[in-house]
Amino acid sequence: MQTHQPRPQDGGQPSPRARKVLTAFLVLLVAVFVGLGTWQVQRLFWKLDLIARVDARVHAAPVTAPAAPVDAAADEYRHVTATGLFEHDKTVLVQAVTERGAGFWVMTPLRADGARTILINRGFVPADRSGEDARLGSELAAGPVTVTGLLRISEPGGGFLRANDPAADRWFSRDVAAIAAAKGLENVAPYFIDADATPNPGGLPVGGLTVVTFRNSHLVYALTWYALAVMSAFAAYSVHRRRFV
């Protein structure tokens, strides 16, 4: 009686061709992950240099606010000063969330150097103190004032999922161009100044709340990519070695 012998099984092992393809793919992954890790290392050193440069600007002696166009990379957070007359009747309130809670930034035009106008973020007022009466104490001085603070770049458009509405005087970002257009301001500097913590008469608004921090997770990302490269290299070696077992 003829019997059928079972065919030897290969244990589900991939063919030599499949192993070659898989090994090549894993080697490609190693190259990609090493490249991404190296890019993150480069970004890490760039971020550390940026932090050092911004820190130097913040703590440097104040200089006169520039009249020429500014560059975010070279000028943001520069310590500046400006002298002029506040135009309180053209103040706008921009919604804000700070360490003091929810409220508004008080943005007031400053007529400086004759015809030039600079928007000044005079500071924060809580939502329940944002009426004109609550800010009256800080607006009593009608003469020339000197403001010292940090140069900030305009924030066009609005906040997250909320567009500025100039017609309704609702502002979610400190958009210099839009505020200037809404209030009929001319010859406006393309930036604003965050006023420092010098107390205002009456206690409001509260300045000096600028947050100067930069997220820096590049080292974590670099280590993650390099770890994936090591794992892929080990997997490639394991697949390749099985050809000889």
Side-chain angles (χ1 to χ4, degrees):
M1 180 177 178
Q2 185 176 3
T3 59
H4 295 280
Q5 298 295 327
R7 297 179 61 184
Q9 299 295 318
D10 60 4
Q13 299 298 321
S15 66
R17 176 181 175 82
R19 283 198 297 268
K20 289 181 180 179
V21 172
L22 181 57
T23 300
F25 175 72
L26 290 170
V27 170
L28 176 62
L29 284 182
V30 171
V32 171
F33 291 146
V34 168
L36 289 171
T38 302
W39 176 65
Q40 286 296 335
V41 169
Q42 294 170 345
R43 294 283 295 174
L44 170 64
F45 284 105
W46 170 82
K47 183 64 68 66
L48 291 175
D49 178 66
L50 173 64
I51 292 172
R53 285 187 284 113
V54 169
D55 187 66
R57 293 175 203 163
V58 169
H59 295 97
V63 298
T64 302
V70 296
D71 175 71
D75 295 304
E76 187 159 27
Y77 299 108
R78 189 174 297 282
H79 200 188
V80 298
T81 185
T83 300
L85 296 171
F86 276 131
E87 297 185 87
H88 293 294
D89 60 323
K90 297 181 179 179
T91 291
V92 301
L93 299 180
V94 180
Q95 289 198 12
V97 177
T98 73
E99 61 189 36
R100 291 173 171 261
F104 300 91
W105 297 123
V106 180
M107 304 289 293
T108 304
L110 179 77
R111 285 193 288 110
D113 302 332
R116 187 170 63 133
T117 299
I118 302 174
L119 270 180
I120 307 296
N121 175 16
R122 295 166 53 219
F124 172 81
V125 292
D128 61 351
R129 298 290 308 280
S130 60
E132 290 186 7
D133 291 341
R135 302 195 312 275
L136 182 61
S138 68
E139 298 176 359
L140 291 177
V145 295
T146 297
V147 176
T148 300
L150 301 179
L151 185 152
R152 301 296 307 280
I153 301 301
S154 178
E155 302 167 344
F160 180 66
L161 298 179
R162 295 181 298 181
N164 290 325
D165 185 358
D169 204 26
R170 291 175 58 84
W171 303 94
F172 301 99
S173 73
R174 293 165 290 189
D175 186 335
V176 172
I179 292 173
K183 296 300 179 179
L185 304 175
E186 297 181 351
N187 195 22
V188 180
Y191 57 83
F192 62 92
I193 297 175
D194 273 349
D196 64 15
T198 300
N200 284 301
L204 291 175
V206 179
L209 298 181
T210 307
V211 177
V212 187
T213 58
F214 297 91
R215 187 179 177 210
N216 188 7
S217 301
H218 298 297
L219 179 59
V220 174
Y221 295 151
L223 293 176
T224 300
W225 291 125
Y226 285 141
L228 290 172
V230 171
M231 293 169 61
S232 298
F234 179 76
Y237 170 76
S238 298
V239 172
H240 178 73
R241 184 173 179 275
R242 297 189 70 167
R243 296 175 56 188
F244 304 100
V245 176

